[in-house]
Amino acid sequence: MPMNRYADMEDKLRILEDLNMMYIRQIALSLQDSDIQKKIDHEIRMRDGACKLLAACSQRDQALEASKSLLTCNIRIMAYMSELQRMKEAQVMQRVALRSSDAGPTDDRLPCKGKVAISDLRIPLMWKDTEYFKNKGELHRCAVFCLLQVGAEIHDTDMVIVDRTLTDICFDNTIVFEASPGFELRVELYSCCSEEDYSAGSTHRKLASKLSSSLGRSAGKKLRVAMDPGACSPISNGGGATLLLPLPSVGPKYHLLAHTTLSLSHVQDSFRTHDLSISGNEECSHWVPLYGNVCCRLAAQPHCMTQQMISGCLKVKQFGGDPQSWTNVYGVLKGTNLFCYHRQEDIEANVEPAFTISINKKTRIRASEKDLHSKAQSICISNHYGGEEVTHTLSADSREDTHRWMEAFWQQFYDMSQWKQCCDDLMKIELPSPRKPTLVTSKQGSLYHEMVIDTSDDISTVTDILARRMQELELRSQLGTSPPWMSLFEESPGCPRTHNRLPHSPLRCPRPGLLSSEASLTSDSYSPCSTSPCSRHSGWAEPLSSPSSHFRPRTLSLDAKLSTLRGRGYGGVLQCSCQPPSSSSLAPIPAQRIPQATLSCSSSTSSNSSSEGSHSPELSNGTSFSRPSSARRSLRNLRAKLDPRNWLQSQV
Amino acid sequence: MSFIPGQPVTAVVQRIEIRKLQHGEHLILGFSIGGGIDQDPGQNPFSEDKSDKGIYVTRVTPGGPAEVAGLMMGDKVMQVNGWDMTMVTHDQARKRLTKKDEDIVRLLVTRKSLEQAVRHSMM
């Protein structure tokens, strides 16, 4: 049976995977490079986690994120593997070289490394007008992200969902690499179709064609392509990777959409546009119409510009001056300057250097062999300032020091010749700031801090305050007599209840209108808001038979509620007003009740949204007002529901 | 009851079967829930870990079907009729509990006392 064979294949693939992991680990061990070994182990663990998450998650966003991390882990593992291979080769070559002893000490000067930062990636899109005007169906969305690779360092950007309302794909991340001037920064754009319907390509052929023919033209085309395994290069992330580290068959799959390679010549202190090579075509499910360019800011800070290359005591004399006028300075070579301080301590004290000699591409440095006044060699540095040539003569304490300084100067020149335009001026690199947590409950100084609600005894203070507020506002006067249909929503005798609770005050009249708005919002399922008020109330004015609070509930909502009361006035208090009158008839309400009561009335402090805000839909999602129209009310309901500061409760 | 992203969640659960009660023209279960991935977890008075966005039972109607079945306030609902409730929005949770054509819901709930009981029994 084909299903069995498929399962067998899965097992075999898994075994292969495990073997591959072992192989990778062995190579890392044999090289005794613990650094890469640790990295590989870490990536393997991340990969396992991502596989599990992919298999377990049900939401599309989670699946996309998991698939993205899986792909990144795979590519990272491959990169580390190739790095390991290279190192192993180098090791072998070295051993061979030592044995042959032909290769003398090569005086290869290595340029200094530097920080390369790429930021503000922006990829313009080119949607066809048919997408906008004729395609009235649902938005075709794709999830995209970028992978940036320099050597074995691979970074990924955040994932962005792209649909036809976007004109550019923007990635806000700033990514910093450590690289040598011959670096090659490979930028790859991966995309994945974000629709729910297209499952993996194990659908029966006939069914597939039937489905695709019965759906619309564009949707059907995409479906057919998605189900046809051969279509858009299945080897999406490099041929080797899928053999060594197979991707799971379920879940969204990313495909390479475009790539480009940037190097030192593209480095500039401002934004530049580069060309993209696009793979894939319109027929692919993961297609996003790219304009063909990518804009970004690629900056580089070579270490010779940011770090002190050499420092030490020197004696400096200006050419043409008095042969005896040597100045003792503490020199620091950094960037394109040799800073000469009077004393070493001045550097920490941030005192300005005595003078500065510039060392740039136009500087000429030579060692003068014979110096009449000292036995040691001295170094002459010539610059052109303006039209004239200024020469400084440096002399170090000993021959070795002079040699060290000369070496440093040569290295500096070499670095500058390698890093080219990056050494003209220091380019700014902004380090990405740590992410702030998304939900931050702000505790403003407020009534909450003034009030202390410790035991249930103190609830009376709260209810007192609420009662007072209620009286301040002209509730009663505004609410007229209850309309006759209010009786429908009066507590019916059939409800199982222990106490006869809430007063049948006219305060309840606004509710019916809100039920309609609620119904309009939740039409697909049974909405608890349409429950009769009696069950609501039975929950609502719930006593006190429940155990008294052994916790202290957050009364942030109380705070919000009171501030809205202050700000606006009547609405919210309506529900709470039910509480105070009844409190006298009931045993002291445990602390937990009040927050729920107030929950019903609290809301975001925006002037528009009403107290309907944060409360339980049982309080008819949107209590109170008779005034606002149902459309506005449903808008407020939505706003309240979406307000992250709320903690909704629903009765079921 | 905290979780590590990417790792499976394990908990000691109790199976609670609630038969919905006909109340007027609606079927009710007799409890209230709070929480959800779209809600602010810091305001959950029942959760140990204030970043837990799970669905918690905030109130149980006395004498109602939920109380009779053994549901307690503060319980965290892990599953409803096989549907996961650890990573759902508040509205999704509510919908899963209030399906019109189901008159019985089987919940898997967890609470701290369960874990403690298991730990004690193992010692």
Side-chain angles (χ1 to χ4, degrees):
Chain A
M1 266 187 57
M3 282 312 287
N4 272 352
R5 249 186 282 147
Y6 186 63
D8 280 346
M9 261 262 288
E10 285 267 305
D11 285 339
K12 285 193 187 122
L13 275 171
R14 235 171 276 137
I15 293 174
L16 205 65
E17 227 179 282
D18 289 337
L19 282 174
N20 288 334
M21 292 303 153
M22 270 178 53
Y23 168 64
I24 294 171
R25 284 206 180 97
Q26 279 298 100
I27 292 197
L29 265 172
S30 73
L31 211 55
Q32 287 169 346
D33 187 324
S34 55
D35 194 31
I36 293 213
Q37 192 190 337
K38 265 188 234 144
K39 282 194 208 153
I40 288 188
D41 272 344
H42 175 75
E43 288 306 318
I44 291 178
R45 258 180 284 133
M46 294 278 291
R47 187 174 174 276
D48 286 339
C51 283
K52 282 194 202 126
L53 187 61
L54 199 56
C57 67
S58 51
Q59 306 230 357
R60 189 73 188 175
D61 306 337
Q62 286 176 335
L64 284 170
E65 285 287 347
S67 182
K68 165 175 166 257
S69 18
L70 186 61
L71 187 68
T72 314
C73 289
N74 277 357
I75 296 190
R76 279 205 183 113
I77 294 177
M78 290 306 295
Y80 292 146
M81 279 275 289
S82 4
E83 181 72 20
L84 276 178
Q85 295 280 33
R86 234 178 298 135
M87 285 169 66
K88 213 163 165 58
E89 267 177 36
Q91 229 185 37
V92 169
M93 294 299 286
Q94 220 179 29
R95 272 191 232 127
V96 167
L98 281 171
R99 261 184 258 136
S100 70
S101 73
D102 270 344
T106 43
D107 196 15
D108 281 328
R109 204 181 275 277
L110 290 171
C112 68
K113 296 215 171 169
K115 280 205 271 204
V116 176
I118 182 166
S119 60
D120 305 297
L121 275 155
R122 184 172 66 89
I123 300 172
L125 300 172
M126 184 175 67
W127 297 99
K128 287 204 286 218
D129 54 356
T130 47
E131 284 275 346
Y132 286 103
F133 300 116
K134 294 193 190 154
N135 193 356
K136 293 273 198 275
E138 56 171 58
L139 235 44
H140 171 215
R141 304 162 104 221
C142 267
V144 299
F145 72 97
C146 259
L147 266 184
L148 300 138
Q149 178 174 8
V150 169
E153 256 189 85
I154 297 179
H155 289 265
D156 58 338
T157 62
D158 295 333
M159 186 185 70
V160 173
I161 303 278
V162 174
D163 56 39
R164 63 172 181 261
T165 61
L166 278 184
T167 54
D168 304 79
I169 309 174
C170 293
F171 296 108
D172 294 325
N173 316 73
T174 305
I175 296 179
V176 180
F177 295 97
E178 180 90 6
S180 55
F183 71 89
E184 283 208 348
L185 172 60
R186 192 172 153 87
V187 181
E188 288 173 342
L189 183 68
Y190 288 90
S191 68
C192 165
C193 175
S194 173
E195 253 94 43
E196 311 251 348
D197 317 290
Y198 313 137
S199 51
S202 50
T203 326
H204 194 244
R205 269 240 165 244
K206 249 193 194 170
L207 178 62
S209 57
K210 227 186 207 177
L211 274 175
S212 51
S213 58
S214 59
L215 294 168
R217 195 177 71 97
S218 58
K221 221 196 307 179
K222 286 178 197 141
L223 199 58
R224 206 178 304 129
V225 164
M227 291 200 233
D228 179 9
C232 282
S233 86
I235 311 293
S236 48
N237 55 347
T242 38
L243 292 172
L244 195 59
L245 304 159
L247 295 167
S249 53
V250 289
K253 280 203 209 17
Y254 284 93
H255 304 267
L256 181 65
L257 185 60
H259 68 95
T260 184
T261 309
L262 302 172
S263 59
L264 188 63
S265 52
H266 298 114
V267 172
Q268 208 179 344
D269 202 6
S270 55
F271 290 95
R272 269 184 74 170
T273 309
H274 312 277
D275 289 326
L276 274 178
S277 329
I278 304 179
S279 35
N281 53 34
E282 230 176 68
E283 302 297 311
C284 299
S285 63
H286 61 90
W287 172 253
V288 178
L290 302 176
Y291 195 73
N293 290 339
V294 56
C295 309
C296 65
R297 181 172 176 269
L298 185 62
Q301 272 183 357
H303 287 322
C304 60
M305 296 293 288
T306 52
Q307 293 172 0
Q308 289 184 6
M309 300 310 286
I310 185 171
S311 54
C313 290
L314 288 171
K315 284 196 281 225
V316 183
K317 175 173 75 127
Q318 191 152 348
F319 191 76
D322 189 5
Q324 303 295 340
S325 67
W326 289 96
T327 331
N328 280 325
V329 294
Y330 187 79
V332 173
L333 176 61
K334 183 165 142 183
T336 54
N337 291 307
L338 174 64
F339 300 101
C340 299
Y341 296 90
H342 279 303
R343 302 166 307 151
Q344 187 175 358
E345 297 74 34
D346 285 348
I347 308 172
E348 280 104 57
N350 275 340
V351 176
E352 287 290 312
F355 50 91
T356 308
I357 306 172
S358 65
I359 312 276
N360 52 39
K361 293 188 196 109
K362 301 207 187 83
T363 311
R364 285 181 300 124
I365 298 187
R366 60 179 205 282
S368 60
E369 280 295 339
K370 281 176 279 192
D371 194 348
L372 307 162
H373 298 275
S374 63
K375 297 236 173 72
Q377 282 180 319
S378 56
I379 306 168
C380 293
I381 305 177
S382 312
N383 275 309
H384 273 270
Y385 291 123
E388 45 180 84
E389 187 171 325
V390 180
T391 306
H392 295 269
T393 313
L394 274 70
S395 168
D397 292 331
S398 65
R399 198 170 269 270
E400 293 80 36
D401 278 348
T402 316
H403 189 69
R404 261 193 331 125
W405 277 95
M406 283 304 289
E407 254 306 302
F409 286 132
W410 290 135
Q411 181 68 34
Q412 189 78 349
F413 280 140
Y414 183 68
D415 290 341
M416 290 204 279
S417 70
Q418 292 296 300
W419 281 101
K420 304 189 187 137
Q421 74 270 23
C422 309
C423 292
D424 293 336
D425 258 318
L426 189 62
M427 296 189 197
K428 250 181 56 164
I429 291 183
E430 270 168 29
L431 288 169
S433 57
R435 287 259 180 94
K436 296 182 197 115
T438 40
L439 285 175
V440 179
T441 49
S442 54
K443 289 198 174 115
Q444 311 116 348
S446 59
L447 205 54
Y448 167 68
H449 298 289
E450 297 171 53
M451 287 199 313
V452 173
I453 310 175
D454 271 327
T455 64
S456 31
D457 294 338
D458 286 346
I459 287 306
S460 52
T461 53
V462 178
T463 53
D464 284 346
I465 293 174
L466 293 177
R468 252 184 291 130
R469 295 257 188 234
M470 193 188 72
Q471 278 152 22
E472 283 167 16
L473 320 161
E474 304 152 341
L475 287 164
R476 311 259 158 105
S477 58
Q478 280 170 352
L479 296 164
T481 53
S482 60
W485 39 260
M486 264 310 294
S487 57
L488 284 175
F489 300 91
E490 299 297 299
E491 297 163 350
S492 71
C495 283
R497 212 172 331 149
T498 47
H499 320 231
N500 183 16
R501 190 129 310 117
L502 302 160
H504 301 262
S505 60
L507 302 170
R508 268 189 260 124
C509 68
R511 216 167 294 123
L514 295 153
L515 290 177
S516 60
S517 65
E518 188 47 43
S520 65
L521 282 178
T522 58
S523 51
D524 53 336
S525 79
Y526 155 60
S527 155
C529 316
S530 47
T531 42
S532 63
C534 94
S535 55
R536 253 184 277 145
H537 289 311
S538 64
W540 156 246
E542 188 67 326
L544 345 166
S545 49
S546 38
S548 65
S549 48
H550 46 275
F551 55 84
R552 165 119 179 246
R554 302 285 183 102
T555 43
L556 289 166
S557 42
L558 172 65
D559 162 49
K561 184 241 169 295
L562 289 165
S563 49
T564 41
L565 280 182
R566 250 181 268 140
R568 240 179 343 96
Y570 64 108
V573 195
L574 275 178
Q575 285 311 107
C576 297
S577 66
C578 299
Q579 207 64 351
S582 53
S583 66
S584 51
S585 56
L586 298 167
I589 306 158
Q592 70 224 38
R593 289 300 151 233
I594 287 302
Q596 285 174 3
T598 53
L599 261 178
S600 68
C601 310
S602 68
S603 66
S604 56
T605 46
S606 66
S607 53
N608 279 342
S609 71
S610 62
S611 66
E612 316 168 318
S614 55
H615 47 276
S616 28
E618 66 194 88
L619 302 169
S620 75
N621 256 0
T623 41
S624 25
F625 330 87
S626 38
R627 296 279 169 84
S629 66
S630 64
R632 255 188 287 151
R633 244 178 281 131
S634 52
L635 177 64
R636 285 193 202 143
N637 286 348
L638 258 178
R639 266 213 210 106
K641 273 187 172 173
L642 297 175
D643 188 344
R645 270 177 291 170
N646 300 330
W647 200 66
L648 290 181
Q649 293 181 46
S650 312
Q651 181 164 26
V652 294
Chain B
M1 293 184 240
S2 56
F3 72 100
I4 304 164
Q7 298 296 323
V9 176
T10 53
V12 181
V13 293
Q14 179 179 351
R15 227 183 273 272
I16 291 187
E17 203 171 276
I18 307 180
R19 205 166 267 281
K20 292 192 189 176
L21 180 70
Q22 189 77 25
H23 192 83
E25 47 170 74
H26 309 289
L27 289 168
I28 60 159
L29 288 163
F31 65 99
S32 299
I33 53 166
I37 55 178
D38 57 338
Q39 304 292 308
D40 175 10
Q43 295 187 44
N44 185 345
F46 303 99
S47 58
E48 254 179 54
D49 173 12
K50 285 306 166 192
S51 65
D52 183 0
K53 294 186 169 181
I55 305 291
Y56 282 78
V57 175
T58 58
R59 198 165 62 216
V60 178
T61 317
E67 196 196 35
V68 164
L71 192 67
M72 289 170 43
M73 191 171 67
D75 287 351
K76 177 175 172 184
V77 181
M78 308 295 275
Q79 274 186 22
V80 171
N81 284 345
W83 293 99
D84 170 62
M85 298 285 261
T86 59
M87 281 283 162
V88 290
T89 63
H90 184 88
D91 215 42
Q92 282 174 340
R94 185 183 54 80
K95 284 180 186 169
R96 290 204 182 139
L97 285 162
T98 55
K99 288 200 160 58
K100 272 197 171 123
D101 48 6
E102 289 174 358
D103 55 355
I104 196 164
V105 288
R106 292 179 179 88
L107 310 179
L108 286 183
V109 301
T110 183
R111 58 181 85 97
K112 216 167 119 200
S113 54
L114 284 176
E115 303 228 10
Q116 285 173 347
V118 171
R119 224 175 291 139
H120 284 309
S121 67
M122 291 205 294
M123 290 202 295

